[in-house]
Amino acid sequence: MTHMPTLLVVNSSAQLEERSLTRKLTALFSETFCERASDTRVIDRDLGRFPPDFVDHRFIEAAFTEPGQRDSRMTDALAQSDRLIDELECADIVVIGAPMYNYGMPAALKAWFDQVARIGRTFSFDLSRGDFPIEPLLSGKHLVVLSARGEFGFAPGGVREEQNALDPGIAACAHYLGASKASIDTIVVEYQEFKDDRHRASWEQASKATIELATRLASDFGSLQSGTTRSDVVEDRDGGRQDRKPVAGAAA
């Protein structure tokens, strides 16, 4: 039986579609993938528009309390985290639009990582394992990072390699998402602030690489039937969170 793939598309840019290169790349990846694997379900999580809450003392107390001992206050403190982890658990491929802000990840993306990296849900902790007590609970997922940088030279051996806190930060946390380091693909647009021929060439190269990657990953699923499923985004009452309802036949 053919497996219906699920994409979790996480956008973290504070810019909107008309100005954000990472949003354009995540859209290109999603559209290309769905054209080739038409039974794909897409879950959109827009951190730029609806940033997650920062972890606070209430979250920490609740997360480190055994589930059967949590009161309603603790359950409420973990409700957003539960929704985000539920989305992550559904995903076969996690696509993150991650612009470089001040050489690291946007605060909203860091908040998302902090919400989904949770004991008992995405990792276990056991001191009997010695100096490496953390073990991920999710596995088998592919992580696609689509990034834009105002400057250039952040890759290994580049002139700004030591300033790159974004790629190592995501790679260090990938195991919480169920992705090994070998299953991370990163595509980057550079020179954004220079707005010159180098930037235009970098954009063209990243766009081509995004299409090629989406095509290759979609072919792994071999799903050619019609009936693409896309998520319908519903804003929470507080205006800062999202839930989703699957909608059959919607455009990707």
Side-chain angles (χ1 to χ4, degrees):
M1 183 176 180
T2 302
H3 174 66
M4 289 176 55
T6 297
L7 302 183
L8 172 58
V9 180
V10 180
N11 279 298
S12 62
S13 176
Q15 299 272 36
L16 302 183
E17 280 76 4
E18 61 271 15
R19 293 179 58 87
S20 170
L21 297 182
T22 58
R23 288 181 184 275
K24 291 176 181 177
L25 288 177
T26 58
L28 181 60
F29 182 96
S30 179
E31 290 164 4
T32 303
F33 191 99
C34 290
E35 286 173 359
R36 290 154 177 80
S38 58
D39 275 354
T40 302
R41 179 191 179 203
V42 179
I43 303 173
D44 285 308
R45 172 54 64 176
D46 195 330
L47 308 177
R49 287 186 173 92
F50 304 100
D53 296 334
F54 290 137
V55 164
D56 60 11
H57 65 282
R58 293 166 295 185
F59 177 99
I60 296 171
E61 179 188 11
F64 284 89
T65 298
E66 290 295 327
Q69 299 177 11
R70 291 173 188 151
D71 56 26
S72 59
R73 176 180 56 89
M74 293 180 179
T75 301
D76 290 344
L78 296 177
Q80 181 177 196
S81 173
D82 283 330
R83 288 197 296 273
L84 297 176
I85 294 172
D86 287 346
E87 294 173 353
L88 178 60
E89 287 178 334
C90 291
D92 298 293
I93 300 174
V94 181
V95 182
I96 299 180
M100 178 179 279
Y101 286 177
N102 299 313
Y103 306 110
M105 68 177 72
L109 182 56
K110 180 60 169 64
W112 179 80
F113 271 108
D114 290 344
Q115 289 281 348
V116 301
R118 201 175 108 200
I119 190 168
R121 287 294 310 264
T122 56
F123 72 91
S124 63
F125 186 92
D126 187 346
L127 287 174
S128 69
R129 299 180 188 132
D131 290 343
F132 299 91
I134 290 177
E135 187 171 287
L137 297 178
L138 304 179
S139 63
K141 301 184 188 298
H142 199 100
L143 176 59
V144 176
V145 180
L146 303 174
S147 186
R149 289 100 196 260
E151 296 173 289
F152 63 93
F154 295 100
V159 294
R160 293 182 176 86
E161 176 186 2
E162 293 184 356
Q163 293 174 273
N164 183 359
L166 176 60
D167 296 329
I170 292 176
C173 295
H175 62 287
Y176 294 126
L177 310 183
S180 67
K181 290 185 178 179
S183 62
I184 303 174
D185 280 294
T186 302
I187 296 172
V188 175
V189 182
E190 295 188 307
Y191 302 97
Q192 188 172 4
E193 296 303 324
F194 295 85
K195 299 179 176 64
D196 55 13
D197 288 340
R198 295 174 299 176
H199 172 60
R200 285 184 282 274
S202 183
W203 168 253
E204 291 175 3
Q205 182 179 16
S207 299
K208 180 181 178 182
T210 298
I211 292 172
E212 291 175 347
L213 177 60
T215 300
R216 175 171 64 82
L217 294 178
S219 69
D220 292 342
F221 288 94
S223 177
L224 300 176
Q225 296 82 11
S226 62
T228 298
T229 300
R230 188 167 180 91
S231 59
D232 180 31
V233 179
V234 180
E235 184 176 329
D236 283 357
R237 285 175 298 177
D238 65 5
R241 302 170 184 167
Q242 298 174 50
D243 292 324
R244 288 160 180 72
K245 299 177 182 178
V247 179

